[in-house]
Amino acid sequence: MASSLTKDSASTTGGKTFFGHPRGLATLFMTEMWERFSFYGMRALLPLYLVSSSGLDMNAATATAIYSIYMAMVYLLAMPGGWFGDRVWGPRKTVTISAGVIMLGHLTLALPGTGTFFAGLALVALGSGLLKANISTMVGHLYSGPDDPRRDGGFTVFYMGINLGAFAAPLIIGTVGEKVNWHLGFAIAALGMALGLAQFLIGTRHLDARSSVVPKPLSAQERRSTLRKGLLWLIVAVVFYGVLVATDVYTLNWALVPITIAGLVIPVAVLARIKRDKDLSATEQSKMSGYIWFFVAAAVFWMIYDQGGSTLSLFGKSSTTNSLFGVDFPTSWYQSVNPVFIMALAPVVAWIWLALNRRGKEPSTVVKFGSGLFLVGVSFLVFMMPLTLASDGDKVSPMWLVSIYFLQTVGELCLSPVGLSVTTKMAPAKYGSQMMGVWFLAVTAGDCTTSLLSLAGVDLNRTGLVGLEAALAIVAGFSIWMYRKKVTTLMGDVR
């Protein structure tokens, strides 16, 4: 790390920098890289462990439901995670605590047993949700403001850390988990988070002082009220599930179904609450109406995209040769394909948008969104082909999955960065700091839709259903394009 630090005479501090950026970026880069290493490593193993006879030996539908709920909860918990950073601990303390919770979660996963597995999964989801919003906030704190010319580049470097961790994790954690021992793989994920936490604590002195500040601390009365409400709901949950267990009525669905329904209801309730707010101006109301189009489109996108770690992964395990150029590889390695494509294609896509912009031909936000939906839909049209070829028990080439991940990655690059940007631009002033959490709720809604289908017994690896999902995304993308003028009008001055 020291070799990548260089002197920068233009630095406001006069000290060392990280690729021309504040030195604190190195601390946050490495923290996020190790956190993503642990997260994506465990994520790559999760559905495979659930269906394996040496794991929990579940059916594919239940495994997909659990995986989807887990992903949904990570993004749902980003909202209370941001709240804790703003109102209780401040970003720096919240990240420190959340990293410890994630590490503890992976260590719990490393212990055999169904009970410890679900406890570990809950801890990792909770810690990831707490960390997600706050570490990005601290990156922003490193710069003097939105107009700092280094700001966008700093976030680009930071996101490279995400993809480096995501790329390496399946290759290391996935290989150990699949080929040696599942629980040893989870333990390596814990080690990765421990390394991230250690270097965060060592490098924390390089962070901006604002990262330790609680921007809007709870008053004593608010704190008591929050604790009282939290304890009340905890007691209700303990009593309710305690009765179910005592009467021998409890099954896994008693936990999965309520969480899934909550993951669908909460995003709708949050959007409805903002939309009904009478404090919003007519312009803000119009922008929120336009934003709902993007939100629904994003939920459809993530519903399909996030099946890359469940439906596609399980297909890879059962129906592909998992061999390329004479080299056999574990199923979990498929999860390294997307980060590679992201790192390779992100600069290319950014250059294309810039080149088109110079010629006055850059597609609008609405068109980019529609393109992302269209591409993710096409990826599932492609998925229908290997599904058909493998229907009689034959195994297909892994290149089918690689091509699907390629299309989904290009779709992601069309939709995800634009979605983040349009969320900040269309946010009502009153909800400026909350709208990023609202954007993450689109992921929650999409993943909970997948979970609901799985819990209903729907086989997501069936050609007919895959075709239906593909058609849904393509029709949604086409609808966005058809109504682009209406949506653009609702957006007001946002482009």
Side-chain angles (χ1 to χ4, degrees):
M1 179 55 62
S3 63
S4 62
L5 298 171
T6 57
K7 290 285 185 180
D8 180 8
S9 59
S11 172
T12 57
T13 63
K16 292 182 178 180
T17 65
F18 180 66
F19 295 117
H21 293 273
R23 191 173 181 181
L25 185 61
T27 298
L28 299 176
F29 174 95
M30 293 296 290
T31 304
E32 182 71 355
M33 185 190 77
W34 283 114
E35 189 273 331
R36 291 291 90 181
F37 173 84
S38 67
F39 176 85
Y40 279 97
M42 190 277 289
R43 175 181 178 267
L45 287 181
L46 179 56
L48 305 176
Y49 172 73
L50 290 171
V51 301
S52 173
S53 58
S54 59
L56 296 188
D57 199 20
M58 296 178 174
N59 60 51
T62 304
T64 299
I66 291 171
Y67 171 89
S68 300
I69 288 173
Y70 166 71
M71 293 296 293
M73 289 304 102
V74 168
Y75 289 94
L76 178 63
L77 290 167
M79 284 194 76
W83 181 86
F84 266 91
D86 286 342
R87 307 296 310 273
V88 184
W89 291 326
R92 188 182 303 189
K93 186 175 180 180
T94 304
V95 167
T96 303
I97 293 171
S98 62
V101 171
I102 293 170
M103 183 177 67
L104 178 61
H106 287 303
L107 287 173
T108 307
L109 285 167
L111 301 173
T114 304
T116 53
F117 170 79
F118 285 108
L121 208 58
L123 287 169
V124 175
L126 175 63
S128 298
L130 284 170
L131 185 141
K132 195 167 188 65
N134 288 286
I135 195 164
S136 296
T137 298
M138 288 194 292
V139 174
H141 286 164
L142 296 173
Y143 302 95
S144 57
D147 296 329
D148 190 319
R150 301 175 300 169
R151 186 182 180 92
D152 287 350
F155 273 98
T156 300
V157 173
F158 176 71
Y159 286 124
M160 286 299 292
I162 293 175
N163 287 291
L164 283 172
F167 165 70
L171 304 181
I172 299 171
I173 296 174
T175 302
V176 172
E178 280 193 78
K179 299 299 183 182
V180 182
N181 182 275
W182 298 109
H183 299 287
L184 182 58
F186 294 136
I188 294 176
L191 175 61
M193 191 66 259
L195 291 172
L197 176 58
Q199 71 82 40
F200 178 77
L201 294 174
I202 292 170
T204 193
R205 66 185 184 279
H206 300 300
L207 301 179
D208 189 271
R210 287 174 293 174
S211 296
S212 297
V213 175
V214 181
K216 191 180 177 183
L218 291 172
S219 65
Q221 182 179 355
E222 288 175 317
R223 190 179 293 271
R224 285 194 298 270
S225 175
T226 302
L227 284 172
R228 188 164 53 247
K229 291 176 182 177
L231 285 172
L232 178 62
W233 281 108
L234 178 61
I235 291 169
V236 169
V238 169
V239 170
F240 178 74
Y241 284 101
V243 170
L244 291 177
V245 172
T247 56
D248 204 26
V249 174
Y250 178 81
T251 64
L252 187 58
N253 279 354
W254 277 102
L256 299 182
V257 173
I259 295 174
T260 299
I261 293 173
L264 291 170
V265 170
I266 290 173
V268 174
V270 169
L271 284 173
R273 178 173 61 86
I274 296 174
K275 190 71 179 68
R276 290 199 311 265
D277 193 333
K278 294 180 180 179
D279 290 340
L280 302 188
S281 66
T283 300
E284 289 176 325
Q285 286 282 2
S286 176
K287 288 181 179 179
M288 279 306 301
S289 296
Y291 184 75
I292 289 171
W293 281 76
F294 292 112
F295 185 92
V296 173
V300 173
F301 178 89
W302 296 116
M303 178 186 72
I304 295 175
Y305 180 91
D306 273 353
Q307 289 184 57
S310 55
T311 305
L312 292 179
S313 182
L314 294 175
F315 176 81
K317 176 180 175 63
S318 64
S319 302
T320 63
T321 60
N322 284 358
S323 178
L324 203 58
F325 307 119
V327 177
D328 295 333
F329 57 88
T331 305
S332 54
W333 282 23
Y334 286 116
Q335 301 310 305
S336 288
V337 174
N338 172 256
V340 168
F341 281 146
I342 287 285
M343 289 187 285
L345 296 176
V348 176
V349 172
W351 177 84
I352 290 172
W353 296 150
L354 188 60
L356 289 173
N357 180 268
R358 287 171 180 161
R359 299 176 187 177
K361 296 180 179 180
E362 183 181 2
S364 67
T365 295
V366 179
V367 173
K368 289 177 182 177
F369 241 76
S371 300
L373 272 169
F374 176 80
L375 286 167
V376 84
V378 170
S379 77
F380 261 37
L381 283 181
V382 173
F383 185 28
M384 292 175 69
M385 295 186 228
L387 276 173
T388 302
L389 292 172
S391 61
D392 57 358
D394 290 340
K395 291 187 180 289
V396 299
S397 167
M399 291 307 296
W400 283 108
L401 290 186
V402 172
S403 64
I404 294 167
Y405 287 127
F406 173 81
L407 288 167
Q408 291 185 349
T409 301
V410 178
E412 179 189 4
L413 291 170
C414 289
L415 183 140
S416 187
V418 174
L420 291 167
S421 176
V422 81
T423 296
T424 59
K425 291 176 181 177
M426 296 177 71
K430 183 177 178 180
Y431 297 98
S433 62
Q434 299 179 39
M435 283 299 289
M436 198 56 69
V438 173
W439 168 251
F440 289 140
L441 290 180
V443 186
T444 298
D447 283 332
C448 282
T449 302
T450 301
S451 175
L452 195 62
L453 290 170
S454 298
L455 290 171
V458 176
D459 183 1
L460 296 175
N461 261 317
R462 226 175 47 220
T463 307
L465 187 71
V466 168
L468 185 62
E469 290 183 82
L472 174 64
I474 291 171
V475 169
F478 185 69
S479 298
I480 289 244
W481 182 82
M482 282 288 291
Y483 288 93
R484 63 191 182 280
K485 291 183 179 178
K486 178 179 179 180
V487 178
T488 301
T489 301
L490 291 170
M491 291 169 64
D493 58 352
V494 176
R495 292 292 179 266

